[in-house]
Amino acid sequence: MTERMKAVQTALDTFLLREYHKTAAEASPNELHMALSRAMMNVISADWRTSRAAHAAARHTFYLSAEFLVGRAIFNNLLCLGMTQEVEELLRAQGASLEELESVEDAALGNGGLGRLAACYLDSAATLSLPLDGYGIRYRYGLFKQQIEQGFQKEQPDDWTHWGDPWSVRCDEEAVEVAFGRHTVRAVPYDMPVIGYGTHNIGTLRLWQAEPLIPFDFMRFNDQDYDGAVEAKNRAEDISRVLYPNDSSDEGKILRLEQEYFFSSASLQDMVRAYKRVHGTDFLQFAALHAVQLNDTHPVLAIPELIRLLKNEGLSFDDAFEIARAVFCYTNHTVMPEALETWPKDLLERAVPGMYAIIEQIDARLHRELTDRGVPADRISRMSITRGDAAHMADLAVYAGRFVNGVARLHTEILKSSVLADWYAVYPERFQNKTNGITQRRWLALANPELSALLTRLLGSERWLTDLSALRELLSFENDQGVLREFISIKKTRHQAFAAWLRRVHGIEVDPDTVFDVQIKRIHEYKRQLLGILAILELYFEIKSGELSDFAPTTFFFAGKSAPGYLRAKGIIKLIGAVSDLIAADPAVAGKIRVVFVPNYNVTAAQQIIAAADVSEQISTAGTEASGTGNMKLMANGAVTLGTLDGANVEIVEEAGLEANYIFGAHVEEIHDRAADYDPNALYQSDSRIRRVLDALVDGTLDDGGTGYFQELYDSILKGASWHNPDQYYLLLDFGRYLDAKLTVNRDTCDEIAFARKGWRNICTCGKFSSDRAIAEYASDIWKIESTAR
């Protein structure tokens, strides 16, 4: 046993005995996880301390994000440290096993792609030994646990720290105060290590927890005002209690604003404090030593907050603004204008007094600058940051920052030509594209060990773990039947593993010998889960009637959460369940088709599903998905893409080839050309398949439990609503083409070797979509930071 493993064993045994009075064999999975994680923290402590010092001494990037969907840390950290096998042998010798830890909860500090991207980027920066660290919020309950009861989504609190949080270190001495309009709170940092693969570098994710200045009012309690005694505590803790609280009321909006300002202010105070320790109050070097990446608009209040802090240090507004402009960079994650955050003046003033006044100063400077440049008055008006008595956060970020980037080539071009066209016309040098990426350590090595072993054997090394583009060399095996049959066998093994996980975790039985077709992502209209389930309903009707007789048995998996207040998305979840029930109850289609909704989609579930998938459904309306990262994870695991030319699908097809994927539907240009005269009712009248599936929503074929959800879905397509036109995401325009593509995929699965060749080609050409590539581009093109490797 190595000295390192002896240290792990000693720390593990000591912790178990001291905290639980147990041995490893006697410990519960959560107790074993706590003890082993603490032992691992001992192993990395020296490297973490050294890495922090190296980061602080270099030009340093801070990644501000409202979400960090880190998932379960233990397995990924063991992988990155190269200790998985050693630790497994240690535990088995003591009567325990790493497998027991598979029941440990995820850290659900994110909603979907935005938060998982942030986590992947920290992973890649650590692996590349780049001085990048993250700032966010330590949510008490994360997003929520999703339960499906009679087909309806029910939200339950996700108490992810119930059994402790062994991968975080509370740093009381570095707490700061954040002042709001109605109270002041303490922001207490918890630091999580981000372990790089094959390097001594360890990054830091600092998450802020909101706490009251005075946790308990003894006098009010003594006066028997029991609620009042903890009122300040509850109000403070609300800020970091839940990710994305419902903001359908002004009170909810103010809480959302407090969340955003809370972590932005705490993070900037932290940076300024650290800078002053070394440089005093001379801020001439601040911009030279700091880059701050704003992950979407949630942290954009950091811009006026830095200006406020620097003015408090004696700088003029103009000097403070120039520093801010040199420090901040902004990643845009949406092409839909309605999704760009806008905060009314009165709400912003109530939440954080003084912020709007600083934004108005920035806006006045913008107007002067645009006038000096000779920009026409109508364009200046459109670009105004505070137009309509509201602060437009994306405009603030573009103007008061150094760079703005999109997250896929198509997305960036749409930003330039449409969403931010006025800004691009004036400041074209600020715009860049940085196509998203994923870390192959978690999403291939950890999620799919059998496939990883095959890739390593064929390549002759594990260099793909830090250079995913090396897999392109394995294209030479795309016609090797022996390799393709081994890949087929691995995919079947992952089917069986996923089926066993579903049975164990959710009590759901599925047939592993069917095609696994998956649509897994946040439930949202533009992602078009509604199109997916309507097409499956039509397949059911055709199989039942005998119109479709040669259908390869398929299980269609859906997974994802709806925002609690998003009733239409909840209606789509209910519809998926209703169609599933209809099909399951009909012996005429038994064994041919099955629909399964996997509850409580999170990182752990994603690892199971993605490794097992045969078909990756990426069917958003062209021009609506910024990039996607689920598409990349599925590609890397050998699933073919059934999708539109939207987001990063465009680049996936360029890398793997059209022949290895299934592209359908209207392009961005067609949708733009059809927008003015698009009439979904004409398609409803002319296409009997469309009429059949839509009528099933309202003619009693499907039961929505008396909620009216299905009628509302029907109306949203054929009648529209006060806030949108009929069929705003063009489901009916793409319905026929989607159904044809779905059937083509299904037929092609019958030729195992030919279909495996498509999957293999996707694996071999996925190198571009590593987050290592993406983060290296950010480092060189935007942040101008260099490796601190020693």
Side-chain angles (χ1 to χ4, degrees):
M1 183 182 292
T2 64
E3 290 301 315
R4 181 172 69 169
M5 287 310 300
K6 288 179 182 177
V8 170
Q9 181 173 3
T10 299
L12 175 67
D13 293 344
T14 300
F15 190 95
L16 284 171
L17 185 60
R18 184 183 71 237
E19 298 295 327
Y20 307 120
H21 307 286
K22 293 180 180 180
T23 66
E26 296 166 339
S28 72
N30 283 298
E31 291 167 345
L32 186 62
H33 172 253
M34 192 75 178
L36 178 59
S37 299
R38 283 302 184 193
M40 301 307 299
M41 288 285 270
N42 288 345
V43 169
I44 68 171
S45 58
D47 279 344
W48 194 8
R49 179 181 173 85
T50 303
S51 298
R52 285 182 156 199
H55 288 199
R59 175 169 167 81
H60 192 176
T61 297
F62 297 94
Y63 200 85
L64 269 63
S65 178
E67 301 180 36
F68 285 94
L69 189 52
V70 293
R72 190 168 48 197
I74 181 68
F75 294 109
N76 192 72
N77 288 347
L78 286 171
L79 172 75
C80 288
L81 291 167
M83 296 179 67
T84 304
Q85 185 172 346
E86 288 178 296
V87 169
E88 175 63 20
E89 291 171 356
L90 170 66
L91 291 180
R92 288 197 180 280
Q94 297 192 34
S97 170
L98 275 176
E99 292 178 2
E100 297 174 41
L101 307 187
E102 290 180 359
S103 62
V104 173
E105 296 285 353
D106 283 15
L109 302 178
N111 184 29
L114 181 83
R116 187 52 230 174
L117 179 77
C120 283
Y121 279 178
L122 293 187
D123 174 284
S124 286
T127 297
L128 296 173
S129 296
L130 291 168
L132 179 143
D133 297 300
Y135 280 115
I137 298 178
R138 188 175 188 261
Y139 300 103
R140 176 68 178 85
Y141 291 110
L143 185 58
F144 57 84
K145 278 189 177 180
Q146 180 196 56
Q147 294 180 347
I148 304 298
E149 297 178 7
Q150 297 181 322
F152 295 100
Q153 172 178 294
K154 301 295 182 183
E155 300 89 22
Q156 298 293 333
D158 186 0
D159 193 2
W160 68 280
T161 60
H162 176 76
W163 293 100
D165 180 16
W167 293 101
S168 292
V169 177
R170 181 181 170 103
C171 305
D172 273 291
E173 71 283 359
E174 297 193 35
V176 299
E177 292 185 7
V178 179
F180 301 99
R182 55 187 183 180
H183 59 153
T184 297
V185 305
R186 243 177 126 235
V188 180
Y190 282 73
D191 290 349
M192 299 178 70
V194 182
I195 301 172
Y197 180 88
T199 174
H200 292 285
N201 183 59
I202 297 176
T204 299
L205 171 57
R206 172 159 282 191
L207 299 175
W208 299 99
Q209 179 169 293
E211 298 181 1
L213 300 184
I214 301 174
F216 180 73
D217 189 327
F218 187 82
M219 293 297 292
R220 294 180 75 170
F221 186 86
N222 200 45
D223 290 339
Q224 301 176 56
D225 180 7
Y226 304 126
D227 291 337
V230 293
E231 180 182 357
K233 179 178 187 292
N234 289 337
R235 178 171 287 181
E237 292 178 355
D238 282 345
I239 293 172
S240 58
R241 198 180 302 278
V242 176
L243 170 65
Y244 297 150
N246 189 333
D247 62 354
S248 58
S249 68
D250 282 357
E251 192 66 21
K253 289 181 173 65
I254 288 174
L255 181 57
R256 184 80 72 96
L257 268 168
E258 287 184 341
Q259 281 191 335
E260 295 185 1
Y261 181 69
F262 168 73
F263 89 93
S264 298
S265 176
S267 302
L268 266 296
Q269 289 186 60
D270 202 34
M271 292 178 220
V272 169
R273 177 176 57 192
Y275 179 86
K276 287 173 66 178
R277 287 188 191 127
V278 179
H279 302 280
T281 56
D282 179 0
F283 283 89
L284 290 178
Q285 295 301 308
F286 191 85
L289 294 174
H290 295 81
V292 176
Q293 191 70 33
L294 304 172
N295 192 32
D296 213 355
T297 53
H298 310 120
V300 170
L301 284 173
I303 294 172
E305 174 64 1
L306 179 58
I307 292 172
R308 184 188 72 83
L309 292 172
L310 294 178
K311 287 176 67 180
N312 288 347
E313 296 292 341
L315 276 69
S316 69
F317 169 81
D318 286 337
D319 287 345
F321 176 82
E322 289 302 334
I323 290 173
R325 178 183 259 183
V327 165
F328 289 104
C329 306
Y330 161 55
T331 299
N332 175 283
H333 283 278
T334 182
V335 298
M336 293 182 282
E338 66 271 18
L340 299 175
E341 281 190 309
T342 300
W343 292 113
K345 178 179 180 178
D346 64 323
L347 285 181
L348 192 47
E349 278 294 286
R350 285 165 59 189
V352 194
M355 278 296 104
Y356 198 85
I358 297 174
I359 295 171
E360 286 180 315
Q361 284 185 278
I362 296 171
D363 198 26
R365 182 186 173 105
L366 167 66
H367 280 247
R368 292 193 299 272
E369 188 172 318
L370 294 178
T371 300
D372 291 345
R373 284 172 171 255
V375 176
D378 61 335
R379 177 171 285 167
I380 293 176
S381 178
R382 292 196 302 268
M383 295 171 70
S384 179
I385 297 168
T386 59
R387 62 190 182 275
D389 261 352
H392 296 255
M393 306 311 283
D395 297 315
L396 173 59
V398 176
Y399 175 58
R402 191 174 182 188
F403 294 108
V404 55
N405 70 277
V407 292
R409 193 174 67 245
L410 175 62
H411 170 224
T412 301
E413 291 307 311
I414 292 173
L415 292 181
K416 292 178 182 178
S417 63
S418 177
V419 180
L420 299 175
D422 287 327
W423 291 100
Y424 181 66
V426 179
Y427 301 106
E429 71 282 358
R430 296 187 184 183
F431 284 73
Q432 292 193 17
N433 177 63
K434 294 289 171 278
T435 297
N436 283 344
I438 58 153
T439 168
Q440 62 267 32
R441 269 82 60 183
R442 180 177 287 272
W443 295 108
L444 189 49
L446 196 60
N448 203 334
E450 297 88 357
L451 178 57
S452 299
L454 173 61
L455 299 176
T456 296
R457 192 182 82 233
L458 294 177
L459 198 59
S461 75
E462 292 185 330
R463 56 194 167 93
W464 61 271
L465 281 164
T466 51
D467 178 13
L468 194 58
S469 64
L471 294 183
R472 188 170 284 275
E473 296 173 29
L474 302 185
L475 277 172
S476 59
F477 292 99
E478 69 176 331
N479 293 309
D480 185 315
Q481 292 224 359
V483 168
L484 294 179
R485 291 200 180 281
E486 193 168 353
F487 171 51
I488 292 168
S489 177
I490 288 169
K491 187 64 77 171
K492 289 179 178 178
T493 297
R494 296 317 306 172
H495 277 215
Q496 292 161 357
F498 175 41
W501 179 85
L502 265 180
R503 183 186 312 113
R504 183 175 68 253
V505 175
H506 295 296
I508 297 172
E509 294 284 347
V510 297
D511 183 355
D513 293 325
T514 59
V515 176
F516 281 10
D517 182 309
V518 310
Q519 191 176 6
I520 47 173
K521 54 189 78 246
R522 180 166 53 95
I523 307 297
H524 197 288
E525 289 170 87
Y526 86 84
K527 295 179 182 289
R528 300 206 294 190
Q529 287 94 348
L530 180 53
L531 175 60
I533 195 61
L534 289 176
I536 293 169
L537 182 59
E538 173 59 22
L539 292 175
Y540 161 74
F541 285 137
E542 293 184 13
I543 293 170
K544 181 176 175 64
S545 68
E547 297 169 69
L548 181 60
S549 57
D550 59 346
F551 191 79
T554 300
T555 304
F556 294 98
F557 292 97
F558 292 85
K561 297 177 180 179
S562 160
Y566 191 176
L567 296 184
R568 191 173 288 172
K570 286 188 166 183
I572 293 169
I573 292 175
K574 175 60 177 172
L575 178 61
I576 292 168
V579 173
S580 175
D581 291 344
L582 177 71
I583 292 171
D586 194 335
V589 299
K592 286 288 187 180
I593 192 168
R594 174 89 187 277
V595 176
V596 173
F597 190 94
V598 182
N600 201 41
Y601 185 55
N602 57 17
V603 174
T604 295
Q607 289 175 206
Q608 291 286 341
I609 300 170
I610 285 167
D614 299 305
V615 182
S616 163
E617 299 246 5
Q618 308 294 331
I619 62 174
S620 54
T621 312
T624 60
E625 183 72 81
S627 173
T629 52
N631 48 4
M632 302 170 187
K633 297 162 193 167
L634 285 152
M635 177 194 194
N637 281 271
V640 301
T641 296
L642 168 60
T644 53
L645 282 177
D646 193 31
N649 289 356
V650 176
E651 292 161 79
I652 285 174
V653 168
E654 287 178 354
E655 296 297 308
L658 273 170
E659 69 277 9
N661 293 288
Y662 299 83
I663 299 301
F664 73 93
H667 296 197
V668 172
E669 296 79 11
E670 181 184 348
I671 287 174
H672 181 268
D673 292 343
R674 294 286 299 270
D677 61 356
Y678 177 59
D679 181 9
N681 285 277
L683 292 170
Y684 170 81
Q685 294 297 333
S686 63
D687 190 322
S688 61
R689 298 176 302 177
I690 289 175
R691 197 160 55 251
R692 176 160 58 180
V693 296
L694 287 185
D695 286 352
L697 299 181
V698 294
D699 66 6
T701 302
L702 299 165
D703 180 12
D704 66 4
T707 60
Y709 277 160
F710 295 174
Q711 180 70 56
E712 204 280 331
L713 290 173
Y714 178 91
D715 290 344
S716 74
I717 294 175
L718 296 181
K719 298 179 182 178
S722 61
W723 66 93
H724 70 78
N725 293 325
D727 195 15
Q728 63 176 332
Y729 293 114
Y730 300 92
L731 278 69
L732 303 193
L733 179 63
D734 278 349
F735 185 83
R737 287 178 281 193
Y738 173 51
L739 200 57
D740 291 344
K742 214 169 180 66
L743 289 169
T744 299
V745 176
N746 188 266
R747 284 193 296 270
D748 286 357
T749 62
C750 296
D751 186 336
E752 275 195 327
I753 291 294
F755 193 74
R757 187 176 295 116
K758 295 174 185 285
W760 186 258
R761 188 167 187 84
N762 275 281
I763 294 167
C764 297
T765 57
C766 73
K768 176 179 180 177
F769 304 107
S770 170
S771 51
D772 295 352
R773 182 273 312 156
I775 215 70
E777 290 180 1
Y778 276 99
S780 64
D781 302 342
I782 292 180
W783 304 328
K784 313 298 181 185
I785 59 174
E786 297 178 351
S787 169
T788 59
R790 59 187 192 280

